[in-house]
Amino acid sequence: MDLSVIVIAVVITALVFDFTNGFHDTANAMATSIATGALQPRVAVVIAAVLNLVGAFLSVAVAKTISSGLVDDTEITPVVIFGGLVGAILWNLLTWLLGLPSSSSHALFGGLIGATWVAAGADAITFAGVVSKVLLPLVLSPIVAGLVALAATYLAYRITARGEEGTVRQGFTIAQIISASMVALAHGTNDAQKTMGIITLTLITAGSLPENAGPPLWVIATCGIAIALGTALGGWRIIQTLGRKISDIQSPQGFAAETTSAAVILTSAHLGFALSTTQVCTGSIFGASAGRRLASVQWGVAGRMALAWLFTLPAAAAVGAIASWVAATGTLGTVIVAVVGVAIAVGIYAASRRQPVTASNVNDVEAEPVPAGV
Amino acid sequence: MSIAWGSLLVVLVVSLGASVLVVSLVAFALVGLGARTAGPDTRPATMSPATGTAVAVVCLVGAAAIVLYGLSVMIIK
């Protein structure tokens, strides 16, 4: 196969993945601010987009391995990366259609695992790494964030119980905007890096960049712009789920949830313990909801999310495997995968238009009412 | 398979400490600010306006310092 064709395909697909990563994860930072009315929906996503773009430029500590030790890196070729990206993109789109927050990183890992399995066999998969870097964080991220957010929310309500109501409400609204902005910035620094790493390593593999080269400016800029554009589009379905379907969130809860998310994401990133941004933010929102009143939490929504998280890796792996297998046949195979991928994406978009969720109706969900005084 | 349980515990303790501290500082600051605006129709203030202002300033400066440290962690990373 002409190497330049697959390299171009990987670069474009990586930017599309970055774009889906952006709109899939807008909810992480802004769902609670939109739900509480601290920010107008359109304003919230634009702020998140700008901060994601800024975040992309803040750090270029690009991951040296795409797979994070989950597969044998020597077996990763541009075709494998292409297949993995296709699997991750389609899983991101499907979960967006269902309004379920799921980890884009885990989808990417799943796609790469499936594609590598087809290309190099099961021996190239590090199953211990799958347990310690995917399954364990999947369980621990929401628990850690949930417990912290629960404690923070409980304290927020206890401390301000005798405060002047108007000042407290207004103060928490402003604080919530600041904490949500921190999460958006952290998201930009973390998630844009992944795509930068993929493109940079692909260019190194193709001989377009020297060994150990950092990402060129055009890679940093396009990755930042792609994730910002995706964020600006607003993944309204997921925003609606996290902001309105878990509980009737108030600004102290939103502030506690976003502060917790920022603290957990920054601490874990600083200590090299990779926790999923999406799972941390989701756990924080559940914890903050339970911190005001346990019974106000819609645990059925949590069950659906947990199911989606469990299926992320195998589902993306299956699609990644098929995409990689077809793309490995040559340029025609790559084109076929691209065309089928675009067709499925268009189909998912068309299905979403049957019950559109937009900036104008994102808050039109009746959450379970919480009795006054709690 | 090696799981960094120590790092995980540190993540839990540090993020718990930072979150609880920031949220508590902001909450105390709001209670302090509320003392400045408490009127006859509201609950009796828990502190005088001057004390409330001082508490609010100290708490907000503390919270801002933690947030700025978080930003520096992000940028220096």
Side-chain angles (χ1 to χ4, degrees):
Chain A
M1 184 191 325
D2 183 2
L3 192 61
S4 61
V5 172
I6 189 67
V7 168
I8 292 168
V10 168
V11 171
I12 293 171
T13 315
L15 291 174
V16 173
F17 168 74
D18 208 23
F19 178 82
T20 64
N21 193 166
F23 80 76
H24 208 275
D25 290 4
T26 315
N28 291 348
M30 292 300 170
T32 60
S33 300
I34 292 170
T36 61
L39 286 168
Q40 291 297 313
R42 281 278 174 216
V43 175
V45 297
V46 169
I47 289 173
V50 170
L51 291 170
N52 266 276
L53 182 60
V54 172
F57 283 90
L58 279 184
S59 168
V60 286
V62 178
K64 293 296 179 194
T65 61
I66 293 173
S67 66
S68 298
L70 297 175
V71 298
D72 181 355
D73 279 328
T74 59
E75 302 291 350
I76 294 185
T77 61
V79 170
V80 168
I81 298 171
F82 177 66
L85 285 167
V86 170
I89 290 168
L90 292 181
W91 181 253
N92 270 355
L93 291 176
L94 182 65
T95 47
W96 162 74
L97 178 67
L98 299 172
L100 293 170
S102 69
S103 169
S104 298
S105 303
H106 288 185
L108 181 61
F109 292 154
L112 285 173
I113 287 170
T116 307
W117 197 320
V118 164
D123 289 345
I125 315 296
T126 312
F127 288 100
V130 174
V131 174
S132 65
K133 294 184 176 176
V134 177
L135 297 181
L136 197 68
L138 187 151
V139 175
L140 294 175
S141 302
I143 293 174
V144 169
L147 288 174
V148 175
L150 191 147
T153 306
Y154 176 77
L155 280 172
Y157 277 102
R158 288 286 294 186
I159 293 168
T160 56
R162 287 181 58 79
E164 200 274 316
E165 200 178 317
T167 307
V168 169
R169 191 173 49 241
Q170 195 180 1
F172 274 132
T173 300
I174 295 167
Q176 188 185 4
I177 294 169
I178 296 170
S179 58
S181 299
M182 284 286 284
V183 175
L185 196 64
H187 184 264
T189 58
N190 281 330
D191 285 36
Q193 298 292 316
K194 283 184 298 196
T195 315
M196 285 182 211
I198 288 169
I199 295 175
T200 304
L201 289 174
T202 304
L203 293 173
I204 291 171
T205 308
S208 303
L209 285 175
E211 284 286 326
N212 296 319
L217 183 62
W218 71 265
V219 172
I220 299 170
T222 50
C223 289
I225 290 168
I227 202 165
L229 284 175
T231 307
L233 190 68
W236 302 113
R237 291 172 175 274
I238 301 173
I239 290 173
Q240 187 177 65
T241 301
L242 283 179
R244 301 294 302 169
K245 292 185 177 174
I246 291 174
S247 181
D248 183 18
I249 290 177
Q250 299 178 342
S251 11
Q253 293 169 291
F255 170 55
E258 300 304 341
T259 302
T260 299
S261 298
V264 174
I265 291 165
L266 290 177
T267 310
S268 60
H270 197 59
L271 293 171
F273 198 92
L275 298 181
S276 156
T277 310
T278 302
Q279 288 160 5
V280 166
C281 293
T282 305
S284 296
I285 293 173
F286 271 100
S289 302
R292 180 162 63 116
R293 184 168 174 267
L294 195 64
S296 72
V297 182
Q298 301 295 306
W299 294 108
V301 179
R304 285 201 295 279
M305 287 179 192
L307 209 59
W309 292 356
L310 281 174
F311 274 103
T312 296
L313 199 86
V319 178
I322 294 167
S324 172
W325 181 66
V326 177
T329 58
T331 302
L332 181 63
T334 305
V335 172
I336 289 171
V337 170
V339 170
V340 172
V342 169
I344 294 172
V346 169
I348 290 174
Y349 177 75
S352 77
R353 300 313 297 163
R354 290 181 188 164
Q355 281 185 309
V357 180
T358 63
S360 56
N361 67 355
V362 68
N363 279 336
D364 295 349
V365 173
E366 281 303 316
E368 285 290 311
V370 178
V374 291
Chain B
M1 180 174 65
S2 63
I3 297 166
W5 292 107
S7 295
L8 180 68
L9 188 66
V10 174
V11 169
L12 178 62
V13 171
V14 172
S15 50
L16 178 68
S19 304
V20 163
L21 196 57
V22 169
V23 170
S24 299
L25 285 171
V26 171
F28 279 122
L30 295 178
V31 173
L33 286 173
R36 290 154 41 101
T37 54
D41 298 334
T42 58
R43 291 178 195 164
T46 51
M47 56 188 97
S48 70
T51 311
T53 305
V55 167
V57 168
V58 170
C59 289
L60 288 178
V61 167
I66 297 171
V67 171
L68 287 175
Y69 178 73
L71 276 173
S72 71
V73 167
M74 238 188 282
I75 295 167
I76 294 167
K77 186 177 71 178

